[in-house]
Amino acid sequence: MSATTLETTSAAQSPAFDRARALGRHKAADSSFRWMTFAAALLVLVLLLGVAISLFIGAWPAFREFGFGFLISDAWSPPREKFGAAAAIYGTLATSVIAMLIGVPVGLGVAVFLTELCPPMLRRPVGIAIELLAGIPSIIYGIWGVYYFRPFMQDYLQPLLIGTLGNVPLIGALFAGPPLGYGLLTAGLVLAVMILPFVTAIARDVFETVPPVLKEAAYGVGATTFEVVGNIVLPYTRVGVIGGVMLALGRALGETMAVTFVIGNAPHIQSSILAQGTTISAMIANSFADADPGLATSSLLALGFILFVITFFVLAAARLMLARLAQREGR
Amino acid sequence: MANALYAGRRRNNVIWAALCYAATAFGLMWLALILGALLWNGFGGLSLDVFTKMTAPPGVEGGLLNSIVGSLIQTAIGLLLAAPIGILAGTYLAEYGRHSKLSTVIRFINDILLSAPSIVVGLFVYQFCVLPFGHFSGLAGGVALAVIATPIIVRTTEDMLSLVPNTLREAASALGMPRSLVIRKIAYRTVMSGLVTGVLLAIARMTGETAPLIFTALGNSLFSVDVTQPMSSLPLIIYEFARSPYAEQQKLAWTGALIVTAAVLTLSIVARLVSAPKRGGH
């Protein structure tokens, strides 16, 4: 008995036992580390599910009360407890369309400049400057927009548009009304500046995936720079560019602070894009903190749920397209 | 005939090139205008008072101390939650589950979270961090920032780890190193600068976020380091003061905006410098 004990003690001090113990310890550490990384990765999934489910639960009273009419009614009246999402959805879409119409062509232009035209010496500084534009927080766009861009709109651009395009039949109604400075167009233009660097960044990345040999072959048969861009680069990267554009659209749809400052926050649908309006995110930012618990809060959560669903599909489509380009590239 | 064709093609080329130059000038113009406005309006307000006094009601000399401290506390909470979770999740995607179906799904979901509207994140955190406790709190603000920051760190961690050459992992494994040690002692060290970059970018993003704080941290005009109570932060005070009719509050809003922008841009430039040598050609 005592002999056995002695033997074990001596074995415990032997190198072989040390190694076994160390291995055992490593094994435990190894599997717990693996388990931790797995849990963290699952948490990412849980987060998205959590967002969707918690918003839906919060929104349920409003959906139950107003049904499908919530989507098509533009009433937003806390005292009468009548809520509808149409004005906010309209404002969100209108500002995003304006932003895309201006931000996408300019962003692509900058990307072409950076990849094809720019002297190598300038490529890095210009690229960084555009990325800084993307890094400026949206609240800064907001304060700048309301102090500088809004007066500019009110004093120059809006009177100009009312005086010229406002008199054209058919589209005149889009540019009607007094120049207030605040409004859908102002918000759309600020958004355009905000999404421009996103379009540029992604377009530049996908343009760089074009095999040089394709471009060289085109240049070799005498194509000009813009024939190369139009006939080689753009067709080759079409899926990626559309993906990037949709990613920018996702940003524009959900952008909050900059829009809240300059859109005027009026929950109405008006024909003029100069008129004040609101967007889903601006409406939530503006009225959530002092909304009555109950139907008002629930309706704002319902707006949030709608925004979440719209951006989810836009972003999902964007990612699928970018993934397709990456796959073709063999990454 | 042929000459006319050439001239036309050359003319098109020149026109398109001019448009691209114009687009670039247009983009850079906004950066100059915004930074110029920030310096013009914010620089004059920078004084010791800004960093030593509390935000004050109109008519009283005030500073931004409580907001700056609030921003730091909430960013720290966000970072403490997001950095471990983000790095671990990124590790799973790049190391253990690189080719699994589940990883493809998680990667996709993470990319969506990466650009999900921050106001929606705010609503989500309100639903499960404010509503159950019955009041707004700095902790909820920090959690909201963590939800924003996590996907950024997941993404950069995965990208960086997938740059680690497999031969390095194989060499370590051949020496008998367990997998977790290969990751921690070899893979992490190889791409340490990349991981730091991801964290810095996440801090930069959290510093400027406003929308998710409005109805989680709410804001507080008093000095508070109690994370269970409403808490001020720089973006929130900019949001409040920029819409104020009082000149001195507007001035403080601009000064705050200058501080936030300087912090964010410095962080993103430092992040770029940290990762620059590894990226080589880019």
Side-chain angles (χ1 to χ4, degrees):
Chain A
M1 189 64 194
S2 68
T4 341
T5 326
L6 261 178
E7 236 180 64
T8 356
T9 347
S10 69
Q13 280 145 2
S14 79
F17 188 82
D18 266 359
R19 198 174 301 142
R21 212 169 47 176
L23 271 179
R25 224 181 27 235
H26 276 317
K27 218 171 199 172
D30 210 36
S31 69
S32 68
F33 184 74
R34 189 194 167 120
W35 186 85
M36 268 158 54
T37 64
F38 183 67
L42 272 189
L43 192 68
V44 173
L45 269 188
V46 173
L47 265 185
L48 192 91
L49 283 177
V51 172
I53 292 170
S54 77
L55 285 185
F56 188 78
I57 291 174
W60 181 242
F63 285 141
R64 200 180 44 201
E65 174 77 19
F66 303 114
F68 186 69
F70 186 73
L71 287 178
I72 47 175
S73 156
D74 73 335
W76 193 274
S77 159
R80 291 191 293 128
E81 296 234 306
K82 289 271 174 246
F83 301 101
I89 295 176
Y90 166 76
T92 302
L93 297 180
T95 49
S96 298
V97 167
I98 296 169
M100 301 306 281
L101 283 178
I102 292 157
V104 169
V106 176
L108 289 179
V110 179
V112 171
F113 172 81
L114 283 174
T115 50
E116 305 291 331
L117 298 170
C118 186
M121 214 177 66
L122 281 179
R123 192 166 290 171
R124 214 173 138 75
V126 173
I128 289 177
I130 295 290
E131 281 166 36
L132 288 186
L133 196 60
I136 294 178
S138 96
I139 181 99
I140 307 300
Y141 281 96
I143 186 172
W144 174 81
V146 77
Y147 281 91
Y148 285 89
F149 196 60
R150 187 199 67 79
F152 165 77
M153 290 294 289
Q154 185 172 22
D155 296 344
Y156 301 100
L157 196 58
Q158 289 189 346
L160 181 78
L161 288 173
I162 295 167
T164 51
L165 291 172
N167 298 323
V168 179
L170 289 178
I171 63 163
L174 280 177
F175 302 97
L180 297 166
Y182 296 98
L184 296 175
L185 182 64
T186 313
L189 291 178
V190 172
L191 278 181
V193 179
M194 296 182 73
I195 61 164
L196 183 163
F198 289 103
V199 177
T200 300
I202 291 177
R204 186 184 57 180
D205 287 353
V206 300
F207 285 172
E208 276 168 1
T209 65
V210 179
V213 64
L214 279 184
K215 291 202 281 190
E216 282 157 16
Y219 281 122
V221 296
T224 64
T225 307
F226 282 85
E227 287 161 348
V228 172
V229 170
N231 298 315
I232 308 294
V233 175
L234 280 178
Y236 187 87
T237 56
R238 194 180 57 228
V239 191
V241 169
I242 297 174
V245 166
M246 299 198 55
L247 212 57
L249 177 63
R251 290 259 171 193
L253 289 169
E255 185 46 59
T256 310
M257 297 324 293
V259 172
T260 309
F261 270 105
V262 295
I263 198 160
N265 296 310
H268 310 295
I269 296 182
Q270 286 168 37
S271 62
S272 170
I273 59 168
L274 305 186
Q276 301 190 337
T278 191
T279 66
I280 295 177
S281 48
M283 189 98 133
I284 299 170
N286 217 33
S287 32
F288 195 84
D290 8 85
D292 289 331
L295 217 46
T297 299
S298 176
S299 298
L300 287 168
L301 286 164
L303 278 181
F305 182 73
I306 293 169
L307 178 65
F308 176 75
V309 171
I310 298 174
T311 47
F312 181 87
F313 283 109
V314 169
L315 294 171
R319 292 297 174 184
L320 286 177
M321 285 174 171
L322 288 169
R324 242 172 73 189
L325 188 81
Q327 204 172 33
R328 189 174 62 190
E329 217 198 327
R331 272 192 294 188
Chain B
M1 185 63 196
N3 271 340
L5 188 62
Y6 286 141
R9 287 175 58 198
R10 199 170 299 139
R11 196 179 56 231
N12 276 342
N13 198 30
V14 170
I15 291 173
W16 279 106
L19 285 176
C20 284
Y21 278 97
T24 310
F26 182 79
L28 295 180
M29 176 184 81
W30 297 111
L31 183 69
L33 284 176
I34 293 171
L35 294 184
L38 279 172
L39 285 174
W40 179 258
N41 293 290
F43 201 72
L46 276 182
S47 66
L48 207 58
D49 280 359
V50 171
F51 300 99
T52 55
K53 289 191 173 164
M54 309 295 153
T55 51
V60 182
E61 282 278 303
L64 296 168
L65 177 64
N66 49 339
S67 307
I68 294 173
V69 170
S71 270
L72 291 177
I73 291 175
Q74 288 170 73
T75 309
I77 296 173
L79 193 65
L80 283 178
L81 291 172
I85 295 174
I87 290 181
L88 287 175
T91 307
Y92 179 81
L93 294 181
E95 299 280 345
Y96 292 114
R98 190 181 280 197
H99 303 291
S100 78
K101 276 228 170 69
L102 181 68
S103 296
T104 319
V105 175
I106 293 176
R107 219 169 269 139
F108 183 73
I109 296 299
N110 188 64
D111 279 350
I112 287 182
L113 276 178
L114 195 62
S115 21
S118 56
I119 187 112
V120 168
V121 171
L123 286 178
F124 161 63
V125 174
Y126 171 84
Q127 283 286 87
F128 97 116
C129 258
V130 175
L131 214 48
F133 301 105
H135 58 85
F136 301 100
S137 70
L139 188 63
V143 171
L145 293 181
V147 176
I148 306 259
T150 305
I152 302 175
I153 301 180
V154 173
R155 184 63 193 266
T156 42
T157 304
E158 194 206 343
D159 285 355
M160 289 301 141
L161 284 178
S162 53
L163 293 180
V164 176
N166 264 332
T167 44
L168 224 57
R169 292 195 186 92
E170 285 158 10
S173 296
L175 291 174
M177 239 178 168
R179 188 73 191 270
S180 65
L181 280 188
V182 174
I183 294 169
R184 280 183 294 173
K185 303 276 177 196
I186 307 292
Y188 281 172
R189 280 196 192 168
T190 316
V191 293
M192 189 46 85
S193 64
L195 300 185
V196 172
T197 301
V199 170
L200 288 175
L201 288 176
I203 299 177
R205 176 82 192 274
M206 287 192 284
T207 308
E209 273 300 341
T210 320
L213 296 179
I214 302 174
F215 31 79
T216 52
L218 189 69
N220 192 339
S221 55
L222 305 169
F223 185 82
S224 163
V225 289
D226 182 357
V227 293
T228 61
Q229 293 306 312
M231 196 177 264
S232 184
S233 68
L234 274 176
L236 281 180
I237 212 70
I238 299 171
Y239 181 51
E240 187 188 329
F241 281 2
R243 298 176 303 169
S244 149
Y246 302 101
E248 62 265 45
Q249 294 199 331
Q250 293 178 2
K251 195 168 180 192
L252 269 181
W254 277 105
T255 308
L258 180 65
I259 297 173
V260 166
T261 313
V264 170
L265 295 189
T266 311
L267 279 168
S268 26
I269 290 172
V270 170
R272 201 180 310 278
L273 292 180
V274 168
S275 71
K278 278 275 178 295
R279 290 256 184 106
H282 276 279

